[in-house]
Amino acid sequence: MAVATDELALHHITVRFGGLTALDDVSLRVAPGKVVGVIGPNGAGKTTLFNVICGFVPPTEGTLTLDGRDWRPRPHHLSRLGIARTLQGVGQFAGMTVLENVMVGVRGRRAEAEALAALDRCGVAKYAATYPGALPYAIRKRIELARALASKPRVLMLDEPAGGLDTDEIRWLGDLIKEIGTTVLLVEHHMDLVMSVCDEILVLDFGKPIALGTPAEISTNERVTEAYLGTPA
Ligand SMILES: Nc1ncnc2c1ncn2[C@@H]1O[C@H](COP(=O)(O)OP(=O)(O)O)[C@@H](O)[C@H]1O
Ligand SMILES: [Mg+2]
């Protein structure tokens, strides 16, 4: 019987910042094409987990694998490896047009066409020639997403993409994530979005993995309801 290789996996990752344990023995396997959510209260270690995968934070203990091989992530290798990330908030260069911003992560002769296609896919192609500074927040979030998509990543990492968006925008985002077809790692607070798009969810609490399962399993998990969703009043 064939055993599917995990595209990306964390094995017993621990990260300590001085006396603070931001991640405590976290393991996670991400299979190709799956949407995996990471949730937990503020300070749970979600962004740190992303930073480990991006090579910004070296794990104190534990290892990572990419396609089943030992892997030591480096920030400047990510795009070549097909891993793209959006930042919490919006991180565009004010002195460049929207199109130029999106082209930053794309290489090759077709960079402009790819960037425009990504903007179009995110419904913001008409802003290509504008400067991002003056645009509404929701539009800038879409541009941030287009920037990540333009490089045609095989793994897309989204850190709170729904932050600051209204219900309609979040629904649009959910539909996009569902039809993207690439592997997605999603850190998000909006539970409706997480529950509707994720195949699997990892729950962190003070750096500790307290649950891993399908949305149905997570929403009925007692430890999760206590730690994160809050016990009913
Ligand atoms: N570079 C750092 N140096 C020291 N402490 C950090 C650093 N990055 C994060 N932390 C701490 O690690 C914990 C987890 O943070 P973070 O991963 O940002 O949580 P989350 O994204 O779940 O809100 C927090 O207590 C935070 O203050
Ligand atoms: Mg965070």
Side-chain angles (χ1 to χ4, degrees):
M1 198 166 64
V3 178
T5 307
D6 300 306
E7 189 161 32
L8 176 70
L10 282 69
H11 311 273
H12 303 286
I13 293 287
T14 292
V15 171
R16 288 189 201 98
F17 296 113
L20 181 122
T21 305
L23 291 175
D24 191 352
D25 197 8
V26 176
S27 294
L28 179 66
R29 296 169 169 281
V30 183
K34 296 290 180 196
V35 179
V36 176
V38 181
I39 65 171
N42 274 329
K46 305 180 297 296
T47 296
T48 301
L49 188 142
F50 267 32
N51 285 338
V52 167
I53 297 171
C54 293
F56 294 132
V57 170
T60 315
E61 284 168 40
T63 56
L64 292 96
T65 50
L66 189 64
D67 300 321
R69 285 187 292 269
D70 276 331
W71 178 51
R72 194 151 160 226
R74 307 266 186 199
H76 55 284
H77 290 167
L78 291 179
S79 119
R80 183 166 52 77
L81 293 172
I83 300 174
R85 148 182 213 175
T86 63
L87 299 169
Q88 203 171 340
V90 286
Q92 286 127 22
F93 300 107
M96 294 162 65
T97 65
V98 166
L99 180 62
E100 287 163 349
N101 265 283
V102 173
M103 282 173 66
V104 165
V106 199
R107 290 158 303 157
R109 277 181 302 135
R110 289 189 36 82
E112 183 170 332
E114 305 282 10
L116 274 172
L119 282 167
D120 192 41
R121 187 169 191 192
C122 294
V124 287
K126 66 177 171 189
Y127 301 106
T130 20
Y131 289 86
L135 293 171
Y137 188 78
I139 301 293
R140 298 185 64 183
K141 290 286 265 194
R142 286 186 183 224
I143 294 166
E144 177 66 6
L145 203 54
R147 190 188 56 69
L149 284 176
S151 64
K152 300 227 175 91
R154 61 172 182 145
V155 178
L156 179 64
M157 300 173 57
L158 305 172
D159 195 352
E160 302 203 13
L165 300 186
D166 66 24
T167 317
D168 285 348
E169 287 287 338
I170 293 175
R171 194 172 304 123
W172 171 83
L173 180 64
D175 290 344
L176 183 80
I177 292 173
K178 278 187 259 189
E179 64 183 41
I180 268 173
T182 64
T183 308
V184 176
L185 264 172
L186 171 69
V187 163
E188 188 47 67
H189 278 300
H190 288 265
M191 294 305 288
D192 290 352
L193 177 64
V194 171
M195 293 294 170
S196 70
V197 302
C198 290
D199 297 299
E200 201 168 36
I201 299 170
L202 168 69
V203 188
L204 297 175
D205 191 30
F206 292 108
K208 287 193 176 61
I210 60 166
L212 178 66
T214 62
E217 288 163 352
I218 292 302
S219 57
T220 54
N221 182 302
E222 232 171 78
R223 279 186 81 185
V224 177
T225 14
E226 276 169 27
Y228 185 55
L229 303 171
T231 38

